[in-house]
Amino acid sequence: MNTRMADHVREALEQMIITGEFADGERLDEIRLAERFNVSRTPLREAFQVLAASGLVELLPRRGAFVRHPAFHEMIEMFEVMAEMEAFCGRLAARRVTPEVLAEIRATVIACEAAVEAGDTDGYYRENERFHHLIYTASGNEFLAGEAQRLHRRLQPFRRMQLRVRGRMAQSLTEHRQILDALEAGDSVTAEAVLRDHVAVQGSKFNDLIASYKQSNLRAKPQPVAMRG
Amino acid sequence: MNTRMADHVREALEQMIITGEFADGERLDEIRLAERFNVSRTPLREAFQVLAASGLVELLPRRGAFVRHPAFHEMIEMFEVMAEMEAFCGRLAARRVTPEVLAEIRATVIACEAAVEAGDTDGYYRENERFHHLIYTASGNEFLAGEAQRLHRRLQPFRRMQLRVRGRMAQSLTEHRQILDALEAGDSVTAEAVLRDHVAVQGSKFNDLIASYKQSNLRAKPQPVAMRG
DNA sequence: GTCAAACTTTTTGTATACAAGATTTTGATT
DNA sequence: AATCAAAATCTTGTATACAAAAAGTTTGAC
């Protein structure tokens, strides 16, 4: 357990930002937040530094901390990178995955099947997270796994939007099974290709994403180019 | 110009860590460093948070900030990811590069040729940095470019070690030219493949890296597994 | 009514103070 | 001499104080 207030505050703010509690460009008021979390400004400002490092807020010197939601094109860019990272994980995993991790992956696919049959979206979401996390681990490259997990986390809210689309869960499951098969067969080419398509935003997924992005409160407000970094 | 002491201190510490001024596992003494930089502990600690976020130091609650050099296998993992990111940049760049950026890339290759002929290692190093940075930009994916640059920066000292190896500069240059040709031809397959091999640590490069790693003062001290994250 | 200069209020960045948790030292005991 | 516990010392984490910069407000000239 971590006893540092700064860490606690960082986690809380991170969650608040990711769940869209602040509008894009909104200033994080040190004094109000300090009161709200019952801490002084010192740990709060330490939290700001970390949030800025992960890109969730932008620190303008002598102006303050401003929350920064990705513009639509930035989100597309992030998904493009995510797809490639997962594809790479899959390629490595097909060669390196251990029997233990493979067994765990198999278990999540079975759990996903159950969730789809039960129409349990939350359950599916949870198992889906576990599936992807395991793919990262299976790559046998801890650094890669860490980076993939970091980006995955960043995209969490947008992925959640996506899963709500009708029929998306069933299609996702089919792909999970294909990936599992490829890993079991040691087929790195298929594992890579299916994972890339699984994550990439293309075809009808693109239009679905536009729709959910517009509805969400994680939109970036359109701004003159000059104001953006 | 940034007037914040915290930022200045962060940059200075970053450079000191990257250039091997601290041993792996060494504790960063807040009081001594505060005196050295002529600041109080507050901005110093803000700098620590950012350094921790980028993995340069590890923050152990109520114990302090400890510098963290990558173990050899971690460095190999980072290069594996770097190779893949650059390969991806190359693939995208072959399709998306603008005439302006392509012209700049051409210019760096010419400058690299001059540096090799003059035996100017520093000059080559500088142009090499510019070349890779331009490849990232050419991908047309700003997020990808940012992440690639971040990792590139992290690997900076190890790459520098590598370039000192005899004959390495000339081989690097040949590959730069091949990459440029592929981009001009819009040949994404070749651009991707050559860039991957260009960055990847394999074959004789692996042995060279072992040698320079051992000599450098960026080694991680071997530790019982339990003590590592 | 508009604009800008001067003043006021807020807010940031940094220093300092202090409590609580680690670490080291000391000294007693075996 | 080795071991352990209590005391002393050092460090971290947080609160608070304060100077300087930014934002907001008033006043006055045109």
Side-chain angles (χ1 to χ4, degrees), chain A residues 24-39:
Chain A
D24 182 61
E26 189 172 342
R27 188 175 122 264
L28 295 179
D29 188 315
E30 293 185 1
I31 293 163
R32 277 204 313 152
L33 287 170
E35 275 169 18
R36 161 148 189 192
F37 289 117
N38 265 304
V39 295

Side-chain angles (χ1 to χ4, degrees), chain A:
Chain A
M1 237 284 321
N2 214 340
T3 169
R4 287 188 26 152
M5 282 318 242
D7 291 334
H8 169 246
V9 166
R10 179 186 52 72
E11 273 168 39
L13 279 176
E14 199 169 289
Q15 207 52 37
M16 286 168 77
I17 293 170
I18 277 177
T19 58
E21 206 147 322
F22 302 104
D24 182 61
E26 189 172 342
R27 188 175 122 264
L28 295 179
D29 188 315
E30 293 185 1
I31 293 163
R32 277 204 313 152
L33 287 170
E35 275 169 18
R36 161 148 189 192
F37 289 117
N38 265 304
V39 295
S40 76
R41 284 172 54 225
T42 311
L44 197 67
R45 285 175 56 87
E46 287 193 1
F48 283 1
Q49 299 297 324
V50 181
L51 293 173
S54 75
L56 257 40
V57 312
E58 193 170 358
L59 250 38
L60 302 184
R62 312 231 170 235
R63 312 299 271 338
F66 299 84
V67 343
R68 179 84 166 75
H69 292 309
F72 186 74
H73 79 273
E74 292 173 310
M75 195 185 56
I76 294 297
E77 288 185 354
M78 287 193 276
F79 270 110
E80 192 170 54
V81 173
M82 185 85 255
E84 208 53 34
M85 285 182 87
E86 298 224 11
F88 185 41
C89 286
R91 168 144 50 93
L92 295 180
R95 285 188 270 130
R96 299 180 182 170
V97 65
T98 64
E100 293 77 25
V101 174
L102 193 56
E104 283 193 73
I105 294 174
R106 208 178 289 121
T108 64
V109 172
I110 290 166
C112 278
E113 274 165 0
V116 168
E117 276 175 40
D120 174 7
T121 319
D122 285 353
Y124 189 88
Y125 178 80
R126 229 182 10 259
E127 290 301 323
N128 183 55
E129 298 293 292
R130 202 152 77 89
F131 176 84
H132 284 276
H133 183 76
L134 284 166
I135 297 287
Y136 307 156
T137 304
S139 75
N141 182 324
E142 280 186 53
F143 178 76
L144 173 60
E147 294 294 299
Q149 188 59 39
R150 207 168 55 87
L151 182 52
H152 182 89
R153 189 171 158 67
R154 185 95 191 276
L155 290 173
Q156 178 192 315
F158 305 109
R159 188 172 25 257
R160 196 148 212 164
M161 296 198 265
Q162 287 286 68
L163 268 181
R164 292 223 194 82
V165 176
R166 266 176 58 83
R168 196 76 186 63
M169 230 163 70
Q171 201 210 323
S172 168
L173 174 60
T174 307
E175 289 163 355
H176 280 201
R177 187 153 267 305
Q178 286 179 288
I179 293 160
L180 173 61
D181 289 348
L183 293 185
E184 286 183 327
D187 180 350
S188 62
V189 173
T190 303
E192 174 174 359
V194 178
L195 261 164
R196 183 180 288 117
D197 289 352
H198 179 61
V199 177
V201 175
Q202 56 192 357
S204 59
K205 277 195 257 178
F206 187 81
N207 301 294
D208 296 339
L209 190 59
I210 291 179
S212 30
Y213 180 82
K214 282 191 189 159
Q215 285 170 22
S216 84
N217 38 4
L218 292 171
R219 270 163 295 134
K221 60 177 173 192
Q223 296 224 331
V225 181
M227 287 205 58
R228 292 249 152 190

Side-chain angles (χ1 to χ4, degrees), chain B residues 18 37 52 72 74 151 154 178 181 186 218 222:
Chain B
I18 278 177
F37 289 118
F72 186 74
E74 292 174 309
L151 182 53
R154 185 94 193 276
Q178 284 179 290
D181 290 348
L218 292 171

Side-chain angles (χ1 to χ4, degrees), chain B residues 4-6 38-43 62-63:
Chain B
R4 290 193 31 179
M5 282 318 243
N38 265 301
V39 296
S40 75
R41 284 172 52 224
T42 310
R62 311 231 170 237
R63 312 295 280 327

Side-chain angles (χ1 to χ4, degrees), chain B residues 72 75-76 79 158-169 171 200-216:
Chain B
F72 186 74
M75 194 184 57
I76 294 296
F79 269 110
F158 305 109
R159 188 172 25 257
R160 198 147 209 164
M161 295 199 268
Q162 286 287 68
L163 268 182
R164 292 221 194 83
V165 176
R166 265 176 59 82
R168 196 78 185 62
M169 230 163 72
Q171 202 211 321
V201 174
Q202 55 190 357
S204 58
K205 277 195 256 178
F206 187 81
N207 301 295
D208 296 338
L209 190 58
I210 291 179
S212 30
Y213 179 81
K214 282 191 188 160
Q215 284 169 24
S216 85

